[in-house]
Amino acid sequence: MKQYRVGIIGCTGMVGQRFTTILENHPWFRVTALAASANSAGKTYREAVAGRWAMKTPIPAEMAELPVYDAVKDMDTVVSLVDFVFCAVNMKAEEILALEEAYAKKECPVLSNNKQHRSFPDVPMIVPELNADHAQVIETQRKRLGTRKGFIAVKSNCSLQSYVPAIHPLLDLGVTKVLACTYQAISGASKTFETMPEIVDNVIPYIGGEEEKSEQEPLKIWGKVENGLIVNATSPSITSQCLRVPVSDGHMAAVFFSMDKKISKEEIIQRWNGFKGPAQELELPSAPKQFIHYFTEENRPQTRLDRDLEGGMAISVGRLRPDTQYDYKFVCLSHNTLRGAAGGGLLMAELLCKLGYLD
């Protein structure tokens, strides 16, 4: 496999830091450029994250002394050093839209963890196990942008990564409605317990914009490509509530759903444990061997015990049982900065690499 040169835009934030750790010693990708805001530009990466390194592992040695560029002013330099970039910046919405499109128009593919381009019908929002075929709209997007190589692809919201994969293998049964209540870790807000003391011994019952994304984005993931554009699915009907809880990493969800076709609990569990997608079939380096793991114990999955399953890239499910208002209910868990954020972006990059979109 060809070695690809990779840049991280927004390298000093929580997701950017996570990208550095999971890209260390990657078999296909090598980090050759780091960029962030003007405040960090001109420093080494070690200097730029001094006092705010939030990962449990040390700064990767191969990146510690790399210079940090200004993501805007040094764009031409960054583009000259990379084959594509991951983008996880903290900027105003209009600035993110302009930044990502500018990189793409300079023939640099952008794999984004930001939400601003997620609603564009020619921008694929890919979960590699679920909707790899959406990559084909990149050709339509390139025509719009006037590019040969450049494009933008996005990763979905991290709160979806637990319950959407669990519902996906059941869609052919006619899933009609879903209720998902998510209990989200503080790293999803780029916080640690030191920087978010108000969460200790507390639950905050509101995360701005999260419920809308949780209800709308799955319909794009489950949409179909028609005439080069993604047309969102119209069902199932989804409603959600999203709470911030005192957990460092790991988003949990309590999910209720109904279906047109009734099957047994055992058949659902068999579908979950046996489910594979393109990420497994292509043997992508970051893909979990088994995407969905069902726990038979009544008290699992648990955040601290199960969030790191298969390197934090697998989905944990448990407590499947009949419900009095819906057909079934269950609990599920995913690691929000691995499967949900940086790891999901990396897996998407591996897929697009394998499909030839990054050449």
Side-chain angles (χ1 to χ4, degrees):
M1 174 63 72
K2 167 186 171 183
Q3 292 289 304
Y4 291 80
R5 302 170 304 154
V6 178
I8 304 172
I9 312 300
C11 62
T12 58
M14 181 78 75
V15 176
Q17 291 180 26
R18 179 66 77 182
F19 268 121
T20 68
T21 64
I22 62 176
L23 283 164
E24 186 178 23
N25 301 317
H26 191 278
W28 299 355
F29 305 146
R30 180 171 60 91
V31 175
T32 54
L34 298 171
S37 69
N39 292 334
S40 298
K43 301 177 182 178
T44 66
Y45 188 54
R46 187 190 305 277
E47 292 169 338
V49 296
R52 52 175 171 157
W53 181 253
M55 301 295 105
K56 295 182 175 69
T57 55
I59 301 169
E62 63 194 55
M63 301 171 218
E65 305 308 320
L66 286 180
V68 177
Y69 295 102
D70 185 312
V72 178
K73 293 180 180 178
D74 298 327
M75 188 180 301
D76 287 336
T77 300
V78 173
V79 169
S80 73
L81 293 172
V82 302
D83 296 309
F84 69 91
V85 296
F86 293 106
C87 187
V89 294
N90 182 17
M91 302 167 67
K92 294 179 180 178
E94 62 273 16
E95 293 173 343
I96 294 174
L97 285 168
L99 180 76
E100 293 183 342
E101 189 166 304
Y103 271 90
K105 286 185 173 180
K106 288 182 179 292
E107 301 294 357
C108 179
V110 177
L111 307 185
S112 175
N113 273 69
N114 305 305
K115 66 183 180 181
Q116 281 68 28
H117 275 106
R118 289 178 188 163
S119 63
F120 285 52
D122 63 358
V123 175
M125 183 169 68
I126 296 175
V127 179
E129 287 85 355
L130 310 185
N131 64 336
D133 63 305
H134 284 197
Q136 63 188 286
V137 304
I138 288 171
E139 297 307 326
T140 302
Q141 184 192 151
R142 283 172 170 164
K143 291 176 183 177
R144 172 172 63 85
L145 296 176
T147 59
R148 178 189 58 81
K149 180 184 176 184
F151 67 88
I152 301 163
V154 295
K155 189 205 65 59
S156 66
N157 184 262
C158 56
S159 68
L160 314 183
Q161 301 293 326
S162 55
Y163 65 89
V164 169
I167 293 294
H168 187 85
L170 310 175
L171 288 178
D172 66 309
L173 302 171
V175 179
T176 56
K177 58 181 180 177
V178 176
L179 164 62
C181 296
T182 63
Y183 306 89
Q184 301 184 204
I186 60 175
S187 57
S190 297
K191 299 291 186 179
T192 63
F193 287 114
E194 290 73 24
T195 59
M196 195 179 185
E198 67 271 23
I199 197 65
V200 176
D201 193 29
N202 195 21
V203 171
I204 299 173
Y206 175 73
I207 306 173
E210 202 75 4
E211 288 159 2
E212 294 83 355
K213 288 181 283 187
S214 296
E215 294 170 359
Q216 296 166 10
E217 290 185 13
L219 298 178
K220 181 173 183 179
I221 292 171
W222 289 326
K224 302 295 183 184
V225 177
E226 298 179 8
N227 300 316
L229 298 173
I230 300 166
V231 178
N232 288 7
T234 56
S235 64
S237 173
I238 305 171
T239 186
S240 72
Q241 289 204 103
C242 301
L243 292 75
R244 188 74 71 194
V245 296
V247 168
S248 59
D249 294 300
H251 286 356
M252 183 171 280
V255 183
F256 305 74
F257 70 99
S258 292
M259 307 174 290
D260 287 330
K261 184 178 179 181
K262 312 307 180 190
I263 64 172
S264 69
K265 170 182 173 180
E266 291 71 25
E267 289 175 298
I268 293 174
I269 294 171
Q270 185 176 26
R271 284 184 176 226
W272 281 339
N273 285 333
F275 180 74
K276 292 184 178 181
Q280 286 71 40
E281 293 160 0
L282 293 171
E283 298 182 340
L284 301 179
S286 299
K289 300 300 181 187
Q290 182 177 331
F291 183 32
I292 302 172
H293 293 248
Y294 185 80
F295 286 86
T296 58
E297 298 91 335
E298 290 185 350
N299 63 345
R300 301 283 286 277
Q302 290 183 28
T303 303
R304 191 166 61 183
L305 296 180
D306 303 313
R307 62 190 168 198
D308 293 317
L309 186 64
E310 295 214 40
M313 293 298 286
I315 307 301
S316 303
V317 186
R319 300 202 68 212
L320 177 67
R321 60 215 189 276
D323 182 64
T324 58
Q325 306 298 314
Y326 292 74
D327 289 335
Y328 284 102
K329 54 190 171 185
F330 63 89
V331 174
C332 53
L333 171 72
S334 63
H335 194 302
N336 58 296
T337 68
L338 286 168
R339 167 53 74 164
L346 177 57
L347 191 61
M348 178 172 64
E350 293 170 356
L351 173 72
L352 294 174
C353 174
K354 199 75 170 180
L355 296 178
Y357 288 100
L358 297 177
D359 292 325

